[in-house]
Structures are given as C-alpha cells and as structure tokens.
Amino acid sequence: MRWAFVFQYTAILVFCLGLALVVPAGVGAFYADGSARSLLMSAAIAVFCGAALFLTFRQPRTEYISQREGMAIVALGWTAIGFFGALPFYFSGFFPVFVDAFFESVSGFTTTGASVLTNIEAVPRGLLFWRSLIQWLGGMGIIVLTIAILPFLGVGGFQLYKAEVPTPMPDKLKPRISDTAKLLWKVYVLFSVLEVVLLLAGGMTVYDAVCHTFTTMPTGGFSTKGLSIAHYDSLYIDIVIMGFMVIAGINFFLHYQMLRARPLAYWRDPECRFYLLTLVVLIFVVSFFINGQVYESLGESFRYGAFQVISILTTTGYATADYNQWPAVAQLIILTCMFFGGSAGSTGGGMKIMRIMLCVKFCYKELFNLVHPHSVSYVKIGGKPVSGVVISSVLGFLALYMGIFVLCSIVLASMGVDFVTSFSAVAASIGNIGPGLALVGPVGNYSEIPYFGKWLLSWCMLLGRLEIYTVIIFLVPEFWRK
C-alpha cells in the first residue's frame, strides 16, 4: 500500500473542493447575504491544506493503482471532502456544533438529503447554493470528476472508478476510463441544463431552478424551501421533477446510448424494464390505498402517490405530502422503497435494482432446483448467464447491508430514539434517501437525533454511497497485511 500516493490524491480532492467553494462565495456576494466571508475562508483553508498535503506527499506519475489503493483513496477522499465541505456551514454560525455541520456536508456529498436545519429559508442563499452544489458534485461522483479532469492518472484510474461507481458490474464506454468519465459528465450536465430550462418555464426563479436541478439529478433532495417541492404547489413542477428523478434513477450508460440515437436501449435493458415496471406497480398500489382515505379524488391520489414513490425509490427524498399521515400499508410500501434504490450506474442509492433482480432470480433458481434436482440452471440477465462470482458478491452485499442496517438501528435505539425513527433513519441514511418516518419524516428533520447518533448516521451515509465494501473493508485485518 503506497500511502503517500493515497494522501497525494486526497490532497488533490481537497484542493479542487477549495476551488469549488469560490462559486457559492460569488453567489453569496451577489445577493449580499453575508455568506461570502465564511465560504471564502473555507476555500482558503481547503486550498492551503490541499496544496500543503500534495507537496508533502508528492509522488512521480504512476500507471497503476491497486484495488486496495483505489478503495483507500475513495474512502479517505470522501471523508476528507465531508470534513472540509462542513467548514462553511460551521463558520456561518447556523450550525452551533461541528457534528451538525459535518452531518449536513456528508449528507450533501453522499446525496442523502437528510438535514438538521429547522428553518431553511433563514439560511443565506450562498450557503444554500453550496448545499445544493455538493449534492450535484457528489451525484456523479467527485472521484469520477477528478479522473475526468486529471488524465495523468492513466489507466490506473479504473480502480478508483470501480470503487466509486455504484454498480455490481462496472463497465467502460471507452478504452480509457478518463474518457468514460468525461462522457458520463457530459450526459449529466446536458440533463441538468434541460431541467433548469423546464423549471424556469414553470415559474421558478433562476436561483431556485439551478438549486433544485443540482439536487434532482444526483437524486439528493435538498431544497431551498422548508416545505420542499410542496412549497410550489404546482402540478407542472411536480411532473418535471418526477420525470428527472426517473431519469436520474436509470443507468447513465443507457442515457448515453439514447443520445446516440438508440432509444430502444432502455427497453432492451432488463434492469431498466424491471425498474420502470416496479415504479408503475408501486405507484398504482400506493395511490389505491390513499385514495378516499387521504385524498378525495383519484387525480390527487395519483399525483401525490406517484411523486412520493418515485422520490423515495430513486432515493431523491423530495416531498409534496406528509406520508406520516398516510395509512400504515402505504407507509410500509414507502419504507420498502427505501431498500430498492435506483439502477446500477445511476446516481440513486439503495441496494440497486440490479441486485434485487439477481437476488430474485437466484431464489427462483434454487426453488427450480428443488423441483428438478438433476437439472443444470443458471441465473441469467438479458439472456446471458451471470457468473457465480457476481452472484456471491451480490448475496454477500445484501447480507452485509441488512446486517449493518439492523445493528445500526439497535445502536441508535439504544440512545433513546424511538423504534420507528431509529429504523427509518438508518434505512434512509444507508440508502441515501434523506427523509424517513416519525421524527425524521418529510416534515421533520434530524436535529433531534443525539450527537453520537449523527456521527453514526454520517458513517451510514458514507457506507451507502460507497457501496458498503469500500468503507467496511478497512475493518478487515487482511486489508492491512502485505
């Protein structure tokens, strides 16, 4: 393990983060809201620390990064940007203790959308812009962004890509991973620009349109309004944001294929079909149960039911209704959506649709083998058999995911947090969703969670965003052995 190289790359991330802080500082200066000072001070600290760390551990150009080094860079890098990204929040005075600022920063970068703010409209616009921008950067992955703009990493960058990109079967569109990262970012930016234009057409201000785009495309869910999207009470805005939440939950490789005049790529992809079918079924089921009990008309039931199902399943976390007031069966369906997540290769969190598909197919295969013990059967995706290595990796991931979920729920409950809040807060954090149930529901926040609980949930957010293995591997003794 070349720790000097790991620290060097982490230094580059911190330095780039410092440069990014200049943008919201400019927004704060434009609106003269008093946030520019804390943002520029944080930028100076990040740039100085990044530059000093880089010069201290500077290494010659390398053509290879081992898998262990890739994981170390990703885990340490995301922790570092979470720390330095919290500085503007802490210096602003709106977060009285550093753990609150760190929680908000990690929630932003991991696109979780959980917040400790109780009065969002009182926060300066420059700070809210930074809060939205870090979700946009974290959505496609700041590691992938850095690979795209730092081609000197060479072919070794694929180890970083595998550690960061949320998919059990990573692939490359181009021979060089830096070219792949650039293509994905171009698609990401294109959809972002399109959403800004459509939100402007719906009556949003430029500031709100940009901020909500920055938190929709990464399936983040931070809003500049305390009532989230419900503040606008606009069917048009609901439809636009629902559309882009669905888009963000689809594998971005398929978007690239579509932009190359291959629209059938969506239909030909079995994961995308399963994802869209799941959305449709759950929307109709939830709408059925809330119709007549919560909303009088079928149109209202479908509108609010569809928005919340899409928002939670894609792990965005926006809200247009308080589903804490919905029937228990609808709340349980919403809770189930927290474990699904988006497609592999999307900006969504959760377990991922691909893993759910593989698990279902594997269970069916086992049942089939019980009926036909002498048959030879395989788990197939798109007509192609999936290797046993991938199957075992998926099953191991799901077991680890559920084990950590149960353990963290028990730990959080031991701090005096009620069962429903503990259960849903951990599910929402590790799934990178944001709102849960009870105290952390769509009209609540995480301000009442104990300090240690916020550290725990911050760790859960990192676990979920980096696909469990990249973080938990540091607890395995073999990782540290030669």
Side-chain angles (χ1 to χ4, degrees), residues 75-235:
L76 187 61
W78 278 78
T79 304
I81 62 174
F83 174 83
F84 284 95
L87 295 181
F89 297 133
Y90 184 64
F91 292 152
S92 69
F94 284 90
F95 297 82
V97 291
F98 184 77
V99 62
D100 284 352
F102 183 77
F103 180 92
E104 200 81 9
S105 176
V106 171
S107 178
F109 277 112
T110 59
T111 72
T112 302
S115 179
V116 296
L117 289 173
T118 56
N119 187 4
I120 294 176
E121 279 89 348
V123 179
R125 289 191 171 190
L127 209 60
L128 289 180
F129 188 87
W130 172 242
R131 188 169 170 261
S132 301
L133 179 61
I134 59 178
Q135 286 205 326
W136 193 75
L137 293 174
M140 186 56 68
I142 200 167
I143 304 295
V144 173
L145 170 65
T146 310
I147 293 174
I149 63 177
L150 297 175
F152 71 82
L153 284 172
V155 296
F158 189 52
Q159 297 300 333
L160 299 180
Y161 178 77
K162 287 206 301 181
E164 197 280 332
V165 172
T167 166
M169 293 183 289
D171 198 3
K172 295 186 290 185
L173 295 173
K174 296 290 183 179
R176 291 180 61 85
I177 188 59
S178 59
D179 294 334
T180 298
K182 289 174 184 176
L183 283 175
L184 293 178
W185 266 99
K186 287 177 182 177
V187 174
Y188 192 58
V189 171
L190 177 63
F191 279 120
S192 297
V193 172
L194 180 59
E195 185 180 359
V196 169
V197 172
L198 292 176
L199 289 178
L200 288 173
M204 272 196 187
T205 64
V206 174
Y207 175 81
D208 284 344
V210 171
C211 285
H212 283 95
T213 295
F214 279 177
T215 57
T216 302
M217 285 310 300
T219 63
F222 275 157
S223 176
T224 56
K225 307 298 180 182
L227 294 177
S228 190
I229 305 303
H231 169 88
Y232 298 97
D233 192 23
S234 166
L235 177 60

Side-chain angles (χ1 to χ4, degrees), residues 4-62:
F5 183 77
V6 172
F7 291 139
Q8 172 191 322
Y9 195 84
T10 303
I12 295 172
L13 288 175
V14 173
F15 183 85
C16 292
L17 179 71
L19 297 180
L21 275 161
V22 176
V23 179
V27 173
F30 177 80
Y31 287 106
D33 56 16
S35 64
R37 182 176 177 274
S38 61
L39 288 162
L40 288 176
M41 184 165 56
S42 303
I45 293 173
V47 168
F48 174 78
C49 291
L53 194 63
F54 179 82
L55 294 175
T56 302
F57 295 100
R58 187 174 184 179
Q59 298 291 306
R61 172 178 172 171
T62 182

Side-chain angles (χ1 to χ4, degrees), residues 187-433:
V187 174
Y188 192 58
V189 171
L190 177 63
F191 279 120
S192 297
V193 172
L194 180 59
E195 185 180 359
V196 169
V197 172
L198 292 176
L199 289 178
L200 288 173
M204 272 196 187
T205 64
V206 174
Y207 175 81
D208 284 344
V210 171
C211 285
H212 283 95
T213 295
F214 279 177
T215 57
T216 302
M217 285 310 300
T219 63
F222 275 157
S223 176
T224 56
K225 307 298 180 182
L227 294 177
S228 190
I229 305 303
H231 169 88
Y232 298 97
D233 192 23
S234 166
L235 177 60
Y236 172 83
I237 289 177
D238 286 359
I239 291 173
V240 169
I241 289 182
M242 278 193 285
F244 281 94
M245 286 193 293
V246 172
I247 288 172
I250 295 176
N251 192 326
F252 271 73
F253 291 98
L254 298 180
H255 295 321
Y256 173 74
Q257 296 296 327
M258 184 272 294
L259 293 174
R260 295 189 63 190
R262 298 175 184 174
L264 292 180
Y266 295 124
W267 177 250
R268 290 171 180 167
D269 184 73
E271 182 191 25
C272 186
R273 293 199 303 268
F274 188 84
Y275 163 77
L276 295 175
L277 179 62
T278 301
L279 277 176
V280 171
V281 170
L282 291 178
I283 286 171
F284 276 103
V285 172
V286 170
S287 300
F288 172 79
F289 282 111
I290 63 176
N291 183 43
Q293 297 191 54
V294 182
Y295 303 103
E296 294 183 0
S297 69
L298 183 61
E300 277 189 317
S301 301
F302 186 77
R303 171 186 172 182
Y304 294 110
F307 191 97
Q308 290 310 139
V309 168
I310 294 172
S311 176
I312 299 300
L313 192 139
T314 61
T315 74
T316 307
Y318 282 141
T320 55
D322 182 9
Y323 51 77
N324 268 331
Q325 307 302 318
W326 289 2
V329 62
Q331 292 186 49
L332 283 173
I333 294 173
I334 292 294
L335 185 64
T336 303
C337 290
M338 295 182 183
F339 293 93
F340 276 66
S343 302
S346 72
T347 59
M351 291 181 175
K352 300 293 187 299
I353 293 296
M354 175 64 78
R355 291 192 178 97
I356 302 296
M357 279 183 62
L358 287 171
C359 185
V360 170
K361 287 178 175 288
F362 176 79
C363 291
Y364 179 80
K365 182 184 80 70
E366 292 300 299
L367 293 173
F368 181 85
N369 288 341
L370 287 176
V371 179
H372 305 281
H374 300 293
S375 65
V376 178
S377 58
Y378 301 95
V379 174
K380 296 182 179 180
I381 295 292
K384 298 179 180 179
V386 180
S387 70
V389 174
V390 173
I391 294 294
S392 62
S393 174
V394 167
L395 294 179
F397 174 89
L398 296 179
L400 198 58
Y401 190 103
M402 294 306 298
I404 292 173
F405 162 69
V406 171
L407 178 62
C408 291
S409 297
I410 294 173
V411 173
L412 190 60
S414 69
M415 302 176 198
V417 181
D418 69 89
F419 168 75
V420 176
T421 300
S422 299
F423 193 85
S424 62
V426 174
S429 296
I430 200 171
N432 302 134
I433 297 154

